Amino acid sequence: MSEAKRRTVGRPASTAKASGGHSQSLVRGLTLLEYLAASPLGLALSEVAEMAELAPSTTHRLLQALQSQGFVTQENEQGLWRIDVKTFRIGNSFLEARDVVATSRPFLRRLTAETGETANLGIRDGATAVFLAQHESPQMMRMITRLGSRAPLHASGVGKALLAWMPNDERAQLLDGCELARVTANTLYQPDTLQVETEQIRAQGFACDREEHAVGLHCVAACVFDEHGAPMAAISVSGPVARIPEARLLTLGALVRQTADEITQQLGGQVPR
């Protein structure tokens, strides 16, 4: 992985500066964890320091403190820093605490069994969708998403489903307040076009990603709702265009919508009508 690419992968919005009454060292340490968590291949000390806008000596001291507690580790051969097992355990406890993840897993397995394709679960975090669970397709050619990875709301099936069911004013503020990247040639990145798209998604009950996040990949997704009828997560089925042509998208969309409604019901949620 090139040095330039490492510096741009997954850089979170937070900064290393302390605010309010928070401990500066604590905030800085957590910020370093964010950078390392977003860089699965690891980062050199100089890269972490540059991203956090800290002196290398300060960065090294913070990393050593995190290492002593089992949150990060350093690879001896190249000297790269990575997250360690304790960080994974904490992240995993978050997943276990969210009923939607545990509740959805058997439904994801069922979707894969019924469709032969990979099934996913994601939630919204700001302007991105974060993938929390997945059941992989048994096919040799299949879609695989690293848990914890992100996709733009406007350029992914899960993201567009969540976007469509957001409150109108919140969605408008999000679309107008950030620059929407054109991930592929098929990405819908104009606010007016996306507004029309969200209306169609709400009308049919599911979202379609037609090679908008990755060339050669089709996806259908539908929302899981809380007790107030607000979107709390979305599930999807994804696979290569060769196995999910346009005609199959609508069939899969109805199945995914039905499955999402079942998860909503099991969680005590309410599907908006």
mmCIF file of all heavy atoms in Angstrom, residues 111 118 120 157-158 161 204 206-210 218-222 235-239 244 248-257:
data_model
loop_
_atom_site.group_PDB
_atom_site.id
_atom_site.type_symbol
_atom_site.label_atom_id
_atom_site.label_comp_id
_atom_site.label_asym_id
_atom_site.label_seq_id
_atom_site.Cartn_x
_atom_site.Cartn_y
_atom_site.Cartn_z
ATOM 1 N N LEU A 111 -31.294 -15.175 4.152
ATOM 2 C CA LEU A 111 -31.238 -14.476 2.868
ATOM 3 C C LEU A 111 -30.182 -15.081 1.955
ATOM 4 O O LEU A 111 -30.407 -15.264 0.757
ATOM 5 C CB LEU A 111 -30.952 -12.988 3.089
ATOM 6 C CG LEU A 111 -32.140 -12.084 3.369
ATOM 7 C CD1 LEU A 111 -31.665 -10.668 3.696
ATOM 8 C CD2 LEU A 111 -33.101 -12.049 2.186
ATOM 9 N N THR A 118 -24.355 -12.658 -0.907
ATOM 10 C CA THR A 118 -23.929 -12.129 0.390
ATOM 11 C C THR A 118 -24.989 -11.195 0.962
ATOM 12 O O THR A 118 -25.528 -10.338 0.260
ATOM 13 C CB THR A 118 -22.596 -11.361 0.237
ATOM 14 O OG1 THR A 118 -21.585 -12.271 -0.192
ATOM 15 C CG2 THR A 118 -22.172 -10.729 1.552
ATOM 16 N N ASN A 120 -25.903 -8.394 4.112
ATOM 17 C CA ASN A 120 -25.192 -7.454 4.981
ATOM 18 C C ASN A 120 -26.154 -6.700 5.885
ATOM 19 O O ASN A 120 -27.347 -6.561 5.580
ATOM 20 C CB ASN A 120 -24.440 -6.419 4.135
ATOM 21 C CG ASN A 120 -23.578 -7.049 3.061
ATOM 22 O OD1 ASN A 120 -22.500 -7.546 3.329
ATOM 23 N ND2 ASN A 120 -24.080 -7.042 1.829
ATOM 24 N N GLY A 157 -26.225 0.639 -1.470
ATOM 25 C CA GLY A 157 -27.594 0.206 -1.260
ATOM 26 C C GLY A 157 -28.064 0.462 0.158
ATOM 27 O O GLY A 157 -29.125 1.063 0.379
ATOM 28 N N VAL A 158 -27.288 -0.003 1.141
ATOM 29 C CA VAL A 158 -27.629 0.226 2.544
ATOM 30 C C VAL A 158 -27.724 1.722 2.830
ATOM 31 O O VAL A 158 -28.650 2.195 3.495
ATOM 32 C CB VAL A 158 -26.587 -0.445 3.466
ATOM 33 C CG1 VAL A 158 -26.689 0.088 4.889
ATOM 34 C CG2 VAL A 158 -26.773 -1.959 3.462
ATOM 35 N N ALA A 161 -30.893 3.335 1.305
ATOM 36 C CA ALA A 161 -32.097 2.966 2.056
ATOM 37 C C ALA A 161 -32.209 3.817 3.320
ATOM 38 O O ALA A 161 -33.282 4.348 3.636
ATOM 39 C CB ALA A 161 -32.056 1.480 2.410
ATOM 40 N N GLN A 204 -41.271 2.145 -3.356
ATOM 41 C CA GLN A 204 -41.166 0.702 -3.593
ATOM 42 C C GLN A 204 -40.705 -0.068 -2.357
ATOM 43 O O GLN A 204 -40.828 -1.294 -2.312
ATOM 44 C CB GLN A 204 -40.229 0.418 -4.763
ATOM 45 C CG GLN A 204 -38.789 0.793 -4.528
ATOM 46 C CD GLN A 204 -37.930 0.654 -5.781
ATOM 47 O OE1 GLN A 204 -38.447 0.496 -6.891
ATOM 48 N NE2 GLN A 204 -36.620 0.707 -5.628
ATOM 49 N N PHE A 206 -37.611 -0.357 -1.058
ATOM 50 C CA PHE A 206 -36.226 -0.815 -1.032
ATOM 51 C C PHE A 206 -35.390 0.030 -1.981
ATOM 52 O O PHE A 206 -35.910 0.691 -2.880
ATOM 53 C CB PHE A 206 -36.117 -2.305 -1.407
ATOM 54 C CG PHE A 206 -36.685 -2.650 -2.756
ATOM 55 C CD1 PHE A 206 -35.911 -2.560 -3.907
ATOM 56 C CD2 PHE A 206 -37.998 -3.067 -2.879
ATOM 57 C CE1 PHE A 206 -36.430 -2.875 -5.153
ATOM 58 C CE2 PHE A 206 -38.538 -3.389 -4.124
ATOM 59 C CZ PHE A 206 -37.753 -3.291 -5.265
ATOM 60 N N ALA A 207 -34.074 -0.005 -1.749
ATOM 61 C CA ALA A 207 -33.127 0.760 -2.557
ATOM 62 C C ALA A 207 -32.326 -0.170 -3.446
ATOM 63 O O ALA A 207 -32.035 -1.314 -3.073
ATOM 64 C CB ALA A 207 -32.182 1.553 -1.660
ATOM 65 N N CYS A 208 -31.967 0.312 -4.628
ATOM 66 C CA CYS A 208 -31.113 -0.443 -5.549
ATOM 67 C C CYS A 208 -29.797 0.310 -5.767
ATOM 68 O O CYS A 208 -29.798 1.526 -5.941
ATOM 69 C CB CYS A 208 -31.804 -0.633 -6.894
ATOM 70 S SG CYS A 208 -33.285 -1.659 -6.843
ATOM 71 N N ASP A 209 -28.722 -0.433 -5.744
ATOM 72 C CA ASP A 209 -27.400 0.099 -6.078
ATOM 73 C C ASP A 209 -26.972 -0.571 -7.369
ATOM 74 O O ASP A 209 -26.630 -1.752 -7.381
ATOM 75 C CB ASP A 209 -26.421 -0.204 -4.931
ATOM 76 C CG ASP A 209 -24.966 0.063 -5.303
ATOM 77 O OD1 ASP A 209 -24.703 0.541 -6.430
ATOM 78 O OD2 ASP A 209 -24.088 -0.218 -4.476
ATOM 79 N N ARG A 210 -27.004 0.197 -8.447
ATOM 80 C CA ARG A 210 -26.679 -0.324 -9.770
ATOM 81 C C ARG A 210 -25.255 0.104 -10.147
ATOM 82 O O ARG A 210 -25.060 1.088 -10.831
ATOM 83 C CB ARG A 210 -27.691 0.177 -10.789
ATOM 84 C CG ARG A 210 -29.128 -0.297 -10.531
ATOM 85 C CD ARG A 210 -30.099 0.353 -11.493
ATOM 86 N NE ARG A 210 -31.434 -0.239 -11.428
ATOM 87 C CZ ARG A 210 -32.400 0.186 -10.604
ATOM 88 N NH1 ARG A 210 -32.166 1.222 -9.782
ATOM 89 N NH2 ARG A 210 -33.588 -0.401 -10.612
ATOM 90 N N HIS A 218 -24.146 -5.300 -8.086
ATOM 91 C CA HIS A 218 -25.510 -4.844 -7.847
ATOM 92 C C HIS A 218 -25.908 -5.166 -6.414
ATOM 93 O O HIS A 218 -25.428 -6.149 -5.829
ATOM 94 C CB HIS A 218 -26.496 -5.518 -8.806
ATOM 95 C CG HIS A 218 -26.641 -4.799 -10.104
ATOM 96 N ND1 HIS A 218 -27.434 -5.258 -11.138
ATOM 97 C CD2 HIS A 218 -26.101 -3.636 -10.557
ATOM 98 C CE1 HIS A 218 -27.389 -4.417 -12.153
ATOM 99 N NE2 HIS A 218 -26.569 -3.438 -11.832
ATOM 100 N N CYS A 219 -26.813 -4.357 -5.872
ATOM 101 C CA CYS A 219 -27.201 -4.521 -4.474
ATOM 102 C C CYS A 219 -28.632 -4.028 -4.296
ATOM 103 O O CYS A 219 -29.060 -3.071 -4.953
ATOM 104 C CB CYS A 219 -26.238 -3.734 -3.580
ATOM 105 S SG CYS A 219 -26.712 -3.663 -1.833
ATOM 106 N N VAL A 220 -29.371 -4.678 -3.403
ATOM 107 C CA VAL A 220 -30.693 -4.193 -2.989
ATOM 108 C C VAL A 220 -30.709 -4.133 -1.469
ATOM 109 O O VAL A 220 -30.110 -4.993 -0.803
ATOM 110 C CB VAL A 220 -31.838 -5.095 -3.506
ATOM 111 C CG1 VAL A 220 -31.973 -4.965 -5.007
ATOM 112 C CG2 VAL A 220 -31.615 -6.546 -3.116
ATOM 113 N N ALA A 221 -31.387 -3.119 -0.905
ATOM 114 C CA ALA A 221 -31.358 -2.922 0.543
ATOM 115 C C ALA A 221 -32.682 -2.364 1.033
ATOM 116 O O ALA A 221 -33.404 -1.687 0.285
ATOM 117 C CB ALA A 221 -30.218 -1.967 0.923
ATOM 118 N N ALA A 222 -32.994 -2.653 2.290
ATOM 119 C CA ALA A 222 -34.218 -2.148 2.907
ATOM 120 C C ALA A 222 -33.952 -1.857 4.374
ATOM 121 O O ALA A 222 -33.081 -2.476 5.004
ATOM 122 C CB ALA A 222 -35.356 -3.157 2.767
ATOM 123 N N ILE A 235 -30.594 -3.748 5.855
ATOM 124 C CA ILE A 235 -30.003 -5.003 5.395
ATOM 125 C C ILE A 235 -29.951 -4.980 3.877
ATOM 126 O O ILE A 235 -30.692 -4.238 3.223
ATOM 127 C CB ILE A 235 -30.794 -6.234 5.887
ATOM 128 C CG1 ILE A 235 -32.233 -6.203 5.348
ATOM 129 C CG2 ILE A 235 -30.771 -6.316 7.402
ATOM 130 C CD1 ILE A 235 -32.996 -7.503 5.593
ATOM 131 N N SER A 236 -29.054 -5.777 3.314
ATOM 132 C CA SER A 236 -28.913 -5.790 1.856
ATOM 133 C C SER A 236 -28.486 -7.157 1.367
ATOM 134 O O SER A 236 -27.990 -7.994 2.136
ATOM 135 C CB SER A 236 -27.878 -4.746 1.412
ATOM 136 O OG SER A 236 -26.566 -5.128 1.808
ATOM 137 N N VAL A 237 -28.681 -7.370 0.080
ATOM 138 C CA VAL A 237 -28.151 -8.533 -0.637
ATOM 139 C C VAL A 237 -27.337 -7.987 -1.798
ATOM 140 O O VAL A 237 -27.823 -7.141 -2.558
ATOM 141 C CB VAL A 237 -29.283 -9.449 -1.134
ATOM 142 C CG1 VAL A 237 -28.758 -10.438 -2.175
ATOM 143 C CG2 VAL A 237 -29.904 -10.204 0.025
ATOM 144 N N SER A 238 -26.103 -8.459 -1.936
ATOM 145 C CA SER A 238 -25.199 -7.941 -2.960
ATOM 146 C C SER A 238 -24.546 -9.078 -3.725
ATOM 147 O O SER A 238 -24.279 -10.145 -3.163
ATOM 148 C CB SER A 238 -24.095 -7.080 -2.325
ATOM 149 O OG SER A 238 -24.652 -6.041 -1.547
ATOM 150 N N GLY A 239 -24.284 -8.817 -5.003
ATOM 151 C CA GLY A 239 -23.610 -9.817 -5.809
ATOM 152 C C GLY A 239 -23.244 -9.269 -7.169
ATOM 153 O O GLY A 239 -23.628 -8.144 -7.527
ATOM 154 N N ILE A 244 -26.999 -10.964 -10.687
ATOM 155 C CA ILE A 244 -28.111 -10.100 -10.288
ATOM 156 C C ILE A 244 -28.328 -9.070 -11.390
ATOM 157 O O ILE A 244 -27.954 -7.895 -11.256
ATOM 158 C CB ILE A 244 -27.833 -9.399 -8.941
ATOM 159 C CG1 ILE A 244 -27.454 -10.415 -7.862
ATOM 160 C CG2 ILE A 244 -29.078 -8.625 -8.491
ATOM 161 C CD1 ILE A 244 -27.201 -9.801 -6.492
ATOM 162 N N ARG A 248 -33.638 -9.205 -11.935
ATOM 163 C CA ARG A 248 -33.638 -9.876 -10.635
ATOM 164 C C ARG A 248 -33.606 -8.879 -9.476
ATOM 165 O O ARG A 248 -33.954 -9.229 -8.346
ATOM 166 C CB ARG A 248 -32.433 -10.825 -10.538
ATOM 167 C CG ARG A 248 -32.553 -11.822 -9.390
ATOM 168 C CD ARG A 248 -31.343 -12.713 -9.262
ATOM 169 N NE ARG A 248 -31.493 -13.636 -8.142
ATOM 170 C CZ ARG A 248 -30.491 -14.152 -7.443
ATOM 171 N NH1 ARG A 248 -29.233 -13.847 -7.760
ATOM 172 N NH2 ARG A 248 -30.722 -14.969 -6.433
ATOM 173 N N LEU A 249 -33.183 -7.653 -9.742
ATOM 174 C CA LEU A 249 -33.108 -6.652 -8.680
ATOM 175 C C LEU A 249 -34.460 -6.463 -7.997
ATOM 176 O O LEU A 249 -34.547 -6.392 -6.770
ATOM 177 C CB LEU A 249 -32.623 -5.306 -9.240
ATOM 178 C CG LEU A 249 -31.120 -5.090 -9.353
ATOM 179 C CD1 LEU A 249 -30.836 -3.738 -10.011
ATOM 180 C CD2 LEU A 249 -30.459 -5.152 -7.977
ATOM 181 N N LEU A 250 -35.518 -6.361 -8.791
ATOM 182 C CA LEU A 250 -36.835 -6.103 -8.221
ATOM 183 C C LEU A 250 -37.336 -7.295 -7.403
ATOM 184 O O LEU A 250 -37.943 -7.128 -6.350
ATOM 185 C CB LEU A 250 -37.820 -5.760 -9.333
ATOM 186 C CG LEU A 250 -37.471 -4.527 -10.177
ATOM 187 C CD1 LEU A 250 -38.553 -4.255 -11.207
ATOM 188 C CD2 LEU A 250 -37.258 -3.305 -9.283
ATOM 189 N N THR A 251 -37.063 -8.508 -7.897
ATOM 190 C CA THR A 251 -37.454 -9.703 -7.145
ATOM 191 C C THR A 251 -36.726 -9.776 -5.814
ATOM 192 O O THR A 251 -37.334 -10.030 -4.759
ATOM 193 C CB THR A 251 -37.161 -10.972 -7.972
ATOM 194 O OG1 THR A 251 -37.851 -10.897 -9.216
ATOM 195 C CG2 THR A 251 -37.593 -12.216 -7.222
ATOM 196 N N LEU A 252 -35.422 -9.545 -5.838
ATOM 197 C CA LEU A 252 -34.643 -9.555 -4.602
ATOM 198 C C LEU A 252 -35.062 -8.412 -3.685
ATOM 199 O O LEU A 252 -35.074 -8.559 -2.460
ATOM 200 C CB LEU A 252 -33.151 -9.452 -4.920
ATOM 201 C CG LEU A 252 -32.494 -10.677 -5.553
ATOM 202 C CD1 LEU A 252 -31.024 -10.405 -5.839
ATOM 203 C CD2 LEU A 252 -32.641 -11.894 -4.649
ATOM 204 N N GLY A 253 -35.391 -7.272 -4.274
ATOM 205 C CA GLY A 253 -35.801 -6.131 -3.463
ATOM 206 C C GLY A 253 -37.021 -6.438 -2.625
ATOM 207 O O GLY A 253 -37.092 -6.095 -1.440
ATOM 208 N N ALA A 254 -37.995 -7.116 -3.213
ATOM 209 C CA ALA A 254 -39.208 -7.485 -2.476
ATOM 210 C C ALA A 254 -38.873 -8.450 -1.341
ATOM 211 O O ALA A 254 -39.422 -8.342 -0.233
ATOM 212 C CB ALA A 254 -40.220 -8.106 -3.427
ATOM 213 N N LEU A 255 -37.952 -9.389 -1.598
ATOM 214 C CA LEU A 255 -37.557 -10.353 -0.570
ATOM 215 C C LEU A 255 -36.817 -9.665 0.567
ATOM 216 O O LEU A 255 -37.074 -9.944 1.755
ATOM 217 C CB LEU A 255 -36.680 -11.438 -1.197
ATOM 218 C CG LEU A 255 -36.107 -12.495 -0.233
ATOM 219 C CD1 LEU A 255 -37.232 -13.267 0.441
ATOM 220 C CD2 LEU A 255 -35.171 -13.445 -0.982
ATOM 221 N N VAL A 256 -35.905 -8.765 0.233
ATOM 222 C CA VAL A 256 -35.146 -8.048 1.261
ATOM 223 C C VAL A 256 -36.077 -7.155 2.079
ATOM 224 O O VAL A 256 -35.957 -7.057 3.298
ATOM 225 C CB VAL A 256 -34.010 -7.224 0.616
ATOM 226 C CG1 VAL A 256 -33.336 -6.322 1.635
ATOM 227 C CG2 VAL A 256 -32.976 -8.159 -0.013
ATOM 228 N N ARG A 257 -37.030 -6.505 1.411
ATOM 229 C CA ARG A 257 -38.004 -5.657 2.112
ATOM 230 C C ARG A 257 -38.823 -6.478 3.105
ATOM 231 O O ARG A 257 -39.028 -6.077 4.257
ATOM 232 C CB ARG A 257 -38.924 -4.999 1.091
ATOM 233 C CG ARG A 257 -40.142 -4.267 1.626
ATOM 234 C CD ARG A 257 -39.767 -2.975 2.311
ATOM 235 N NE ARG A 257 -39.471 -3.190 3.726
ATOM 236 C CZ ARG A 257 -38.764 -2.368 4.473
ATOM 237 N NH1 ARG A 257 -38.245 -1.284 3.942
ATOM 238 N NH2 ARG A 257 -38.535 -2.619 5.736
#
